[in-house]
Each structure stands twice: as C-alpha cells, then as structure tokens.
Amino acid sequence: MSNDEIFAAAYREHYWAVSRYVARRLDGRTSEVEEVVAEVFTVAWRRRTDLPATPLPWLYGVARNCLANAVRGYGRRRRLVDRMGNDDAAHGRHIVDSPDAETPGAWVHEALARLSPADQEVLRLTAWEELGVEELAVALGCGTRAASMRLHRARRRLRAEIDRTCPATESKERSHG
C-alpha cells in the first residue's frame, strides 16, 4: 500500500474519532472544531510517511498540538474583542443559569477542572478516547512507564479533589447511586 493509500485509510477510519476528541476539548465551538480537525489531517498528510501502523494515538498527539495552537489563537481573539468592547458583557447582556441547572456528574467535571491541564488531558485520553497505556504514551510522546505514572498520579489527584469537595457520605452515595 502506498503512503497516500495509508493516509486515506487512516483518514476514513479515524476522522470521527479525531473530531470527537477535538469537539470535547473545544466545548461545542463547531467552526473551530472543523478548523482544528482539518489542521490535524493536513499535518498527517504532510507527514504521511511517518504514520505508524496504529495511527489513532499518533493523530491524538497531533490534535493536542493543533488544539494548543487554536486555544492560543482563541485567547488572542478574545483579548482583542475585550479591548474593543464588543462583547456581550460590555453591552450588559449576561446569561445566568438557574440555581437548579447543575447537570448530572457536574461535580466530576468541577474536580477535573481544578487539576492541571496535563492531568486533565491524561484522564481525558484514557476515559474519553479509551486509550490504553501504550497508546497514551504515543499520544503524549513519552515512554510507556512515564505514561503509566502520569495516569496514576492524575487519577490520585482527581480522587483527592473529589474527596476534598465531597463529604465522604456524599461521595459514597454518588459512586453507588
């Protein structure tokens, strides 16, 4: 199979997995998701001779880098809009959730949000993308032992955050309920 055919097969097989990966991290900003996914596969096309036999973890690693670039760009645009005074807050429009708007499992997302971005990514790669330790290592660009240790530490820190914010009885009810 030629490199072009290998790329085409990887694209067909993994486009939606990469799209879901990016969408979960950009929280539904659809136009940005499409741009980042396009960039991921542009990089993959340029580096098609480097595609491994199991390309998905490698594509996740490329997506991580493309997301970092997109987030930096989004921050620059946001600061520009803020300086221009052209946002909803500047015009007195505020959207406020109702007090009972807590979504199921929100406490897990809150605990996750208090972790470092690196810990969040390790946990998301294993939970959302269902990567094993070897695949996690490829996506993170590190060795298997380092990936395993990062995962172990991230899980420990998440558990500590959950325990810190939830009384023991409430934590047990959530895990059994």
Side-chain angles (χ1 to χ4, degrees), residues 19 49 79 147 166 175:
S19 294
T49 58
R79 287 187 298 278
C166 298
S175 65

Side-chain angles (χ1 to χ4, degrees), residues 107 109-116 120 161-162 164-166:
W107 56 275
H109 292 283
E110 290 170 13
L112 185 64
R114 286 190 294 275
L115 298 178
S116 71
Q120 290 178 37
E161 278 300 321
I162 291 170
R164 189 176 67 75
T165 58
C166 298

Side-chain angles (χ1 to χ4, degrees), residues 13-15 68 85 96 99 112-113 115 131 141 149 151 174:
E13 187 174 342
H14 301 300
Y15 177 85
V96 178
L112 185 64
L115 298 178
L131 296 186
M149 186 55 70
L151 177 59
R174 287 183 175 159

Side-chain angles (χ1 to χ4, degrees), residues 74-90:
Y74 178 75
R76 286 190 297 272
R77 285 189 300 277
R78 184 76 234 150
R79 287 187 298 278
L80 176 62
V81 168
D82 288 345
R83 281 194 307 267
M84 293 170 48
N86 194 21
D87 63 348
D88 287 343

Side-chain angles (χ1 to χ4, degrees), residues 28 36 46 100 118 125 146 170 175:
V36 171
R46 280 192 226 118
D100 59 349
L125 283 166
E170 187 179 345
S175 65

